[in-house]
Tab-separated table of all heavy atoms in Angstrom:
chain	number	residue	atom	x	y	z
A	18	VAL	N	2.783	6.886	-6.397
A	18	VAL	CA	2.119	6.857	-7.699
A	18	VAL	C	0.816	7.643	-7.644
A	18	VAL	O	0.485	8.424	-8.545
A	18	VAL	CB	1.851	5.396	-8.127
A	18	VAL	CG1	1.078	5.372	-9.451
A	18	VAL	CG2	3.164	4.642	-8.243
A	23	LEU	N	-2.408	12.600	-8.857
A	23	LEU	CA	-3.180	13.759	-8.402
A	23	LEU	C	-2.524	15.062	-8.844
A	23	LEU	O	-3.199	16.011	-9.263
A	23	LEU	CB	-3.319	13.737	-6.872
A	23	LEU	CG	-4.249	12.657	-6.304
A	23	LEU	CD1	-4.167	12.629	-4.779
A	23	LEU	CD2	-5.692	12.921	-6.747
A	27	MET	N	-4.127	18.059	-11.182
A	27	MET	CA	-4.284	19.408	-10.655
A	27	MET	C	-3.503	20.437	-11.465
A	27	MET	O	-3.870	21.613	-11.491
A	27	MET	CB	-3.825	19.459	-9.198
A	27	MET	CG	-4.721	18.658	-8.248
A	27	MET	SD	-4.029	18.559	-6.592
A	27	MET	CE	-4.038	20.281	-6.117
A	35	GLN	N	-4.012	30.684	-13.593
A	35	GLN	CA	-2.990	31.702	-13.720
A	35	GLN	C	-3.110	32.496	-15.024
A	35	GLN	O	-2.447	33.503	-15.190
A	35	GLN	CB	-1.601	31.046	-13.647
A	35	GLN	CG	-1.297	30.445	-12.276
A	35	GLN	CD	-0.018	29.639	-12.283
A	35	GLN	OE1	0.671	29.550	-13.286
A	35	GLN	NE2	0.303	29.042	-11.148
A	62	ALA	N	-34.618	36.854	-20.630
A	62	ALA	CA	-34.549	38.292	-20.389
A	62	ALA	C	-34.585	38.654	-18.917
A	62	ALA	O	-33.768	39.429	-18.440
A	62	ALA	CB	-35.689	38.983	-21.125
A	68	THR	N	-29.491	46.521	-14.097
A	68	THR	CA	-30.147	47.782	-13.780
A	68	THR	C	-29.132	48.914	-13.858
A	68	THR	O	-28.065	48.842	-13.246
A	68	THR	CB	-30.763	47.742	-12.365
A	68	THR	OG1	-31.701	46.663	-12.292
A	68	THR	CG2	-31.475	49.045	-12.031
A	78	TYR	N	-25.014	54.288	-11.917
A	78	TYR	CA	-24.943	53.100	-11.068
A	78	TYR	C	-25.352	51.894	-11.902
A	78	TYR	O	-26.365	51.932	-12.603
A	78	TYR	CB	-25.875	53.236	-9.859
A	78	TYR	CG	-25.285	54.045	-8.729
A	78	TYR	CD1	-25.128	55.425	-8.842
A	78	TYR	CD2	-24.871	53.437	-7.544
A	78	TYR	CE1	-24.581	56.181	-7.808
A	78	TYR	CE2	-24.322	54.179	-6.498
A	78	TYR	CZ	-24.185	55.554	-6.651
A	78	TYR	OH	-23.637	56.287	-5.627
A	86	ARG	N	-22.900	46.140	-7.123
A	86	ARG	CA	-23.328	47.522	-7.387
A	86	ARG	C	-22.100	48.388	-7.677
A	86	ARG	O	-21.178	48.455	-6.870
A	86	ARG	CB	-24.089	48.050	-6.176
A	86	ARG	CG	-24.762	49.396	-6.351
A	86	ARG	CD	-25.697	49.621	-5.167
A	86	ARG	NE	-26.207	50.967	-5.097
A	86	ARG	CZ	-27.230	51.438	-5.805
A	86	ARG	NH1	-27.848	50.638	-6.656
A	86	ARG	NH2	-27.641	52.688	-5.667
A	102	ASP	N	-20.594	48.708	-4.150
A	102	ASP	CA	-19.526	47.760	-3.818
A	102	ASP	C	-18.239	48.124	-4.542
A	102	ASP	O	-17.134	47.859	-4.053
A	102	ASP	CB	-19.931	46.338	-4.224
A	102	ASP	CG	-21.276	45.935	-3.653
A	102	ASP	OD1	-21.381	45.850	-2.421
A	102	ASP	OD2	-22.214	45.733	-4.446
A	114	TYR	N	-13.642	62.011	-9.071
A	114	TYR	CA	-12.899	61.098	-8.201
A	114	TYR	C	-12.936	61.600	-6.766
A	114	TYR	O	-13.343	62.729	-6.478
A	114	TYR	CB	-11.440	60.958	-8.654
A	114	TYR	CG	-10.563	62.144	-8.348
A	114	TYR	CD1	-9.774	62.183	-7.197
A	114	TYR	CD2	-10.508	63.236	-9.220
A	114	TYR	CE1	-8.968	63.284	-6.920
A	114	TYR	CE2	-9.702	64.325	-8.955
A	114	TYR	CZ	-8.932	64.347	-7.803
A	114	TYR	OH	-8.141	65.435	-7.526
A	118	PRO	N	-12.801	58.108	-0.350
A	118	PRO	CA	-14.145	57.535	-0.487
A	118	PRO	C	-14.591	56.843	0.795
A	118	PRO	O	-13.770	56.536	1.660
A	118	PRO	CB	-13.975	56.528	-1.630
A	118	PRO	CG	-12.536	56.141	-1.569
A	118	PRO	CD	-11.804	57.376	-1.126
A	141	ARG	N	-12.365	40.347	-11.760
A	141	ARG	CA	-13.703	39.780	-11.709
A	141	ARG	C	-14.215	39.958	-10.292
A	141	ARG	O	-13.604	39.489	-9.331
A	141	ARG	CB	-13.711	38.305	-12.101
A	141	ARG	CG	-15.115	37.693	-12.037
A	141	ARG	CD	-15.211	36.377	-12.751
A	141	ARG	NE	-15.035	36.499	-14.186
A	141	ARG	CZ	-15.986	36.910	-15.029
A	141	ARG	NH1	-17.176	37.255	-14.565
A	141	ARG	NH2	-15.744	36.979	-16.317
A	154	ILE	N	-5.025	62.798	-20.859
A	154	ILE	CA	-5.885	63.912	-20.451
A	154	ILE	C	-5.104	65.222	-20.458
A	154	ILE	O	-3.884	65.243	-20.362
A	154	ILE	CB	-6.493	63.705	-19.045
A	154	ILE	CG1	-5.387	63.536	-17.992
A	154	ILE	CG2	-7.445	62.533	-19.021
A	154	ILE	CD1	-5.900	63.633	-16.570
A	156	PRO	N	-4.064	68.584	-18.457
A	156	PRO	CA	-3.972	68.983	-17.052
A	156	PRO	C	-5.129	69.917	-16.709
A	156	PRO	O	-5.594	70.687	-17.548
A	156	PRO	CB	-2.633	69.717	-16.967
A	156	PRO	CG	-1.869	69.283	-18.167
A	156	PRO	CD	-2.879	68.997	-19.234
A	184	GLY	N	-19.662	50.215	-21.656
A	184	GLY	CA	-18.479	51.066	-21.666
A	184	GLY	C	-18.778	52.462	-21.166
A	184	GLY	O	-19.810	53.059	-21.513
A	191	HIS	N	-9.577	63.293	-26.120
A	191	HIS	CA	-8.986	63.220	-27.462
A	191	HIS	C	-9.646	62.115	-28.269
A	191	HIS	O	-10.311	61.226	-27.720
A	191	HIS	CB	-7.477	62.976	-27.380
A	191	HIS	CG	-7.100	61.712	-26.653
A	191	HIS	ND1	-7.126	60.476	-27.260
A	191	HIS	CD2	-6.702	61.504	-25.374
A	191	HIS	CE1	-6.750	59.550	-26.386
A	191	HIS	NE2	-6.482	60.152	-25.239
A	196	SER	N	-5.807	51.475	-32.207
A	196	SER	CA	-5.378	50.635	-31.089
A	196	SER	C	-6.353	50.735	-29.921
A	196	SER	O	-6.616	49.746	-29.229
A	196	SER	CB	-3.960	51.026	-30.628
A	196	SER	OG	-3.946	52.319	-30.054
A	206	ILE	N	-23.623	48.914	-24.612
A	206	ILE	CA	-24.190	50.093	-23.950
A	206	ILE	C	-23.043	51.058	-23.689
A	206	ILE	O	-22.082	50.722	-23.000
A	206	ILE	CB	-24.894	49.715	-22.631
A	206	ILE	CG1	-26.022	48.712	-22.901
A	206	ILE	CG2	-25.428	50.956	-21.931
A	206	ILE	CD1	-26.667	48.152	-21.648
A	218	SER	N	-14.853	67.991	-28.327
A	218	SER	CA	-15.905	68.594	-29.152
A	218	SER	C	-17.015	67.601	-29.442
A	218	SER	O	-16.808	66.381	-29.427
A	218	SER	CB	-15.311	69.095	-30.472
A	218	SER	OG	-14.942	67.994	-31.291
A	222	ILE	N	-16.672	63.550	-30.280
A	222	ILE	CA	-17.341	62.508	-29.500
A	222	ILE	C	-18.394	61.802	-30.341
A	222	ILE	O	-18.652	60.602	-30.183
A	222	ILE	CB	-17.952	63.091	-28.198
A	222	ILE	CG1	-18.088	62.001	-27.144
A	222	ILE	CG2	-19.294	63.754	-28.439
A	222	ILE	CD1	-16.789	61.495	-26.583
A	223	SER	N	-18.998	62.519	-31.292
A	223	SER	CA	-20.000	61.904	-32.172
A	223	SER	C	-19.342	60.901	-33.115
A	223	SER	O	-19.904	59.841	-33.410
A	223	SER	CB	-20.723	62.986	-32.972
A	223	SER	OG	-21.420	63.854	-32.106
A	226	THR	N	-18.809	57.792	-31.172
A	226	THR	CA	-20.101	57.124	-30.946
A	226	THR	C	-20.548	56.382	-32.197
A	226	THR	O	-21.024	55.247	-32.125
A	226	THR	CB	-21.163	58.160	-30.528
A	226	THR	OG1	-20.711	58.859	-29.355
A	226	THR	CG2	-22.493	57.487	-30.229
A	235	LEU	N	-25.978	56.124	-23.740
A	235	LEU	CA	-26.480	56.858	-22.582
A	235	LEU	C	-25.653	58.134	-22.425
A	235	LEU	O	-24.491	58.075	-22.017
A	235	LEU	CB	-26.374	55.999	-21.316
A	235	LEU	CG	-27.205	54.715	-21.288
A	235	LEU	CD1	-26.894	53.916	-20.027
A	235	LEU	CD2	-28.700	55.034	-21.345
A	239	ARG	N	-23.536	66.514	-19.478
A	239	ARG	CA	-24.160	67.301	-20.545
A	239	ARG	C	-24.076	68.803	-20.310
A	239	ARG	O	-23.882	69.576	-21.249
A	239	ARG	CB	-25.631	66.902	-20.704
A	239	ARG	CG	-26.318	67.625	-21.851
A	239	ARG	CD	-27.676	67.045	-22.134
A	239	ARG	NE	-28.686	67.469	-21.197
A	239	ARG	CZ	-29.473	68.536	-21.373
A	239	ARG	NH1	-29.319	69.295	-22.449
A	239	ARG	NH2	-30.389	68.850	-20.497
A	241	MET	N	-25.221	72.317	-20.417
A	241	MET	CA	-26.288	73.005	-21.151
A	241	MET	C	-26.343	72.609	-22.629
A	241	MET	O	-27.046	73.230	-23.415
A	241	MET	CB	-26.094	74.530	-21.040
A	241	MET	CG	-26.120	75.051	-19.616
A	241	MET	SD	-27.675	74.685	-18.750
A	241	MET	CE	-28.802	75.732	-19.670
A	263	ARG	N	-35.105	57.653	-13.892
A	263	ARG	CA	-33.643	57.608	-13.907
A	263	ARG	C	-33.085	56.199	-14.072
A	263	ARG	O	-31.866	56.030	-14.130
A	263	ARG	CB	-33.095	58.203	-12.600
A	263	ARG	CG	-33.219	59.712	-12.521
A	263	ARG	CD	-32.696	60.234	-11.191
A	263	ARG	NE	-32.692	61.701	-11.178
A	263	ARG	CZ	-31.616	62.450	-11.374
A	263	ARG	NH1	-30.442	61.874	-11.591
A	263	ARG	NH2	-31.681	63.764	-11.346
A	273	PRO	N	-32.227	47.158	-28.104
A	273	PRO	CA	-33.001	47.578	-29.279
A	273	PRO	C	-32.336	47.119	-30.582
A	273	PRO	O	-31.111	47.040	-30.676
A	273	PRO	CB	-33.005	49.106	-29.164
A	273	PRO	CG	-31.853	49.452	-28.283
A	273	PRO	CD	-31.692	48.302	-27.332
Side-chain angles (χ1 to χ4, degrees):
V18 177
L23 289 173
M27 293 172 63
Q35 293 172 2
T68 302
Y78 278 71
R86 188 168 169 81
D102 307 296
Y114 74 95
R141 179 165 293 281
I154 59 167
H191 59 81
S196 67
I206 301 173
S218 70
I222 205 69
S223 297
T226 303
L235 297 175
R239 183 170 78 92
M241 300 301 292
R263 287 178 174 259

